[in-house]
Amino acid sequence: MGCSGCRIRFNFGKALSKASLLLTMLLISTYFIYCLTALSDSIPRALFAQRALDYGILEDRRRVLDELRPSPRLLLAGAPASPPPGGAQDSGIPVSNTFGTKKFPQAIIIGVKKGGTRALLEFLRIHPDVRAVGAEPHFFDRFYEKGLDWYRELMPRTLEGQITMEKTPSYFVTKEAPGRVCAMNCQTKLIVVVRDPVTRALSDYTQTLSKNPGLPSFQSLALKNASSGLIDTAWNAVRIGLYAKHLENWLRHFPLSHFLFVSGERLVSDPAGEMGRVQDFLGLKRVISDKHFYFNQTKGFPCLKKPEGSSRPRCLGKSKGRPHPHIPPEVLQRLREFYRPFNHHFYQMSGRDFGWD
């Protein structure tokens, strides 16, 4: 019995020793795991933070490249440029940054309405050295009181060697526009797109008629009265076609060498040839050529094969190439006779015979 009790006590003590060892190992293991957890909780966070920083840098670089990349040109139905609500003088927006500079236009397409100004602007946008405002700013005829800083804010940012442009066809017939443009910069290059004034008047009337179906007939607007056959020059569609009169106003402020007169008819029949003249006038390398155009038989206009930013051909909008209403031949003949002396005077002034007679 005594020896048996000793064995029991010995076995109990041995078991207790093993339990203590096991508990000790368990505590050590727990502490070790805790240390590893704390270490992993600190070091990877720094690594991940650094990785996030790297991704941030890459994103910044991507944004910079996007800023430097010219915006897609030939957005024929693109969103118009929105004027700054308070103007540049109170907006606090800087005029320039490292991604380009907002400059006053070095060249302006000043006219004429329904002559082909939209086609010219969109063709020019193919050129990588041309940046242009898509919408018509109308600064020198409607919003001049907003100031030059406001006007400059409408311009796209340009890089070294790029030309800033805008087009507003109503400038050509606005009496105050030449002096205002010269006050900005008398070295500005001026482009005038002209078209047979009779055809231009018809196109002008057709556009207005599409917006106002209740418009009186073309002949009732063009003639003061049917019996006399006198042309009503107060009608804007007729008045715009007096190109020589409007050019006289511009020549009081700019020399003839600052003008380029573009044929609206040749923009249709030979767009590459006419665009070659425009590129030369602007001092640009001849980039725009025959390879950029194809003739759309349905619209009766040249279209661009693959505008920048698109994989498909692109034509001007549905407002271009509308069919003209039928006009009595005698009315058209009377208009041609009326315009003839003005046309010849314009040929002499511009140094180019457009062959409208």
Side-chain angles (χ1 to χ4, degrees):
M1 287 294 294
C3 292
S4 178
C6 290
R7 282 197 297 272
I8 291 172
R9 286 196 297 273
F10 176 77
N11 289 337
F12 178 76
K14 189 175 181 180
L16 183 62
S17 177
K18 287 182 178 180
S20 299
L21 179 62
L22 184 61
L23 180 61
T24 302
M25 292 179 66
L26 182 63
L27 289 173
I28 292 172
S29 298
T30 302
Y31 179 74
F32 184 69
I33 292 171
Y34 170 79
C35 292
L36 287 178
T37 303
L39 183 63
S40 65
D41 195 37
S42 59
I43 295 176
R45 281 183 184 177
L47 293 175
F48 290 146
Q50 181 62 43
R51 183 174 298 176
L53 177 63
D54 291 342
Y55 284 140
I57 292 172
L58 290 176
E59 185 60 32
D60 286 344
R61 289 175 181 170
R62 188 177 297 110
R63 179 174 54 80
V64 169
L65 290 175
D66 288 340
E67 286 280 351
L68 289 173
R69 185 180 298 115
S71 59
R73 301 179 178 92
L74 297 167
L75 301 178
L76 301 185
S82 300
Q89 52 267 49
D90 59 0
S91 67
I93 301 174
V95 171
S96 64
N97 62 23
T98 55
F99 311 128
T101 306
K102 291 194 173 189
K103 302 175 183 175
F104 293 121
Q106 296 100 319
I108 303 177
I109 302 172
I110 60 173
V112 298
K113 181 184 178 184
K114 306 308 294 180
T117 59
R118 173 55 60 182
L120 175 61
L121 183 70
E122 301 309 331
F123 294 167
L124 270 173
R125 281 178 161 181
I126 299 173
H127 204 292
D129 292 333
V130 172
R131 297 299 308 278
V133 181
E136 296 174 3
H138 284 282
F139 174 66
F140 295 106
D141 60 344
R142 298 181 189 173
F143 304 116
Y144 192 66
E145 73 282 355
K146 291 182 178 290
L148 286 168
D149 288 340
W150 180 89
Y151 179 55
R152 181 167 50 187
E153 280 300 315
L154 300 181
M155 298 301 117
R157 296 190 182 278
T158 53
L159 302 176
E160 185 77 23
Q162 290 183 320
I163 293 177
T164 304
M165 293 190 66
E166 71 117 314
K167 77 107 177 170
T168 305
S170 53
Y171 290 164
F172 189 59
V173 299
T174 301
K175 184 178 179 181
E176 299 81 11
R180 292 172 174 177
V181 174
C182 189
M184 176 191 71
N185 183 3
C186 289
Q187 301 304 312
T188 305
K189 293 184 177 183
L190 307 166
I191 301 177
V192 186
V193 189
V194 288
R195 184 183 182 188
D196 181 336
V198 176
T199 309
R200 197 222 66 80
L202 269 172
S203 183
D204 198 339
Y205 172 79
T206 303
Q207 182 183 55
T208 307
L209 185 64
S210 69
K211 300 174 182 177
N212 182 13
L215 196 68
S217 67
F218 179 87
Q219 49 268 38
S220 66
L221 293 170
L223 303 178
K224 288 184 177 180
N225 63 70
S227 57
S228 67
L230 293 176
I231 302 298
D232 190 353
T233 56
W235 185 32
N236 198 49
V238 169
R239 187 176 63 87
I240 291 174
L242 303 173
Y243 304 142
K245 292 287 187 182
H246 304 305
L247 182 57
E248 285 175 354
N249 187 35
W250 281 87
L251 289 176
R252 295 188 182 100
H253 300 269
F254 292 89
L256 189 62
S257 60
H258 284 211
F259 292 85
L260 178 70
F261 301 97
V262 175
S263 168
E265 287 84 6
R266 284 185 61 81
L267 272 181
V268 174
S269 64
D270 181 22
E274 203 66 4
M275 291 307 298
R277 295 180 63 248
V278 176
Q279 291 171 93
D280 291 346
F281 175 71
L282 295 175
L284 298 169
K285 181 180 178 181
R286 286 201 176 195
V287 172
I288 307 166
S289 63
D290 283 320
K291 69 180 181 181
H292 292 99
F293 302 99
Y294 78 96
F295 192 81
N296 185 302
Q297 297 290 344
T298 303
K299 293 187 71 67
F301 277 96
C303 298
L304 295 165
K305 289 181 179 178
K306 285 188 178 182
E308 185 173 337
S310 173
S311 60
R312 296 181 299 175
R314 183 65 182 269
C315 291
L316 295 176
K318 63 181 181 179
S319 64
K320 311 299 179 183
R322 292 190 186 98
H324 295 168
H326 174 73
I327 307 298
E330 58 272 19
V331 175
L332 297 180
Q333 182 58 34
R334 180 69 192 92
L335 264 178
R336 295 197 181 281
E337 293 171 358
F338 166 77
Y339 278 123
R340 187 171 291 115
F342 294 101
N343 290 344
H344 282 284
H345 189 199
F346 181 66
Y347 299 164
Q348 294 171 354
M349 296 174 70
S350 64
R352 184 175 185 185
D353 187 340
F354 290 90
W356 297 323
D357 302 309

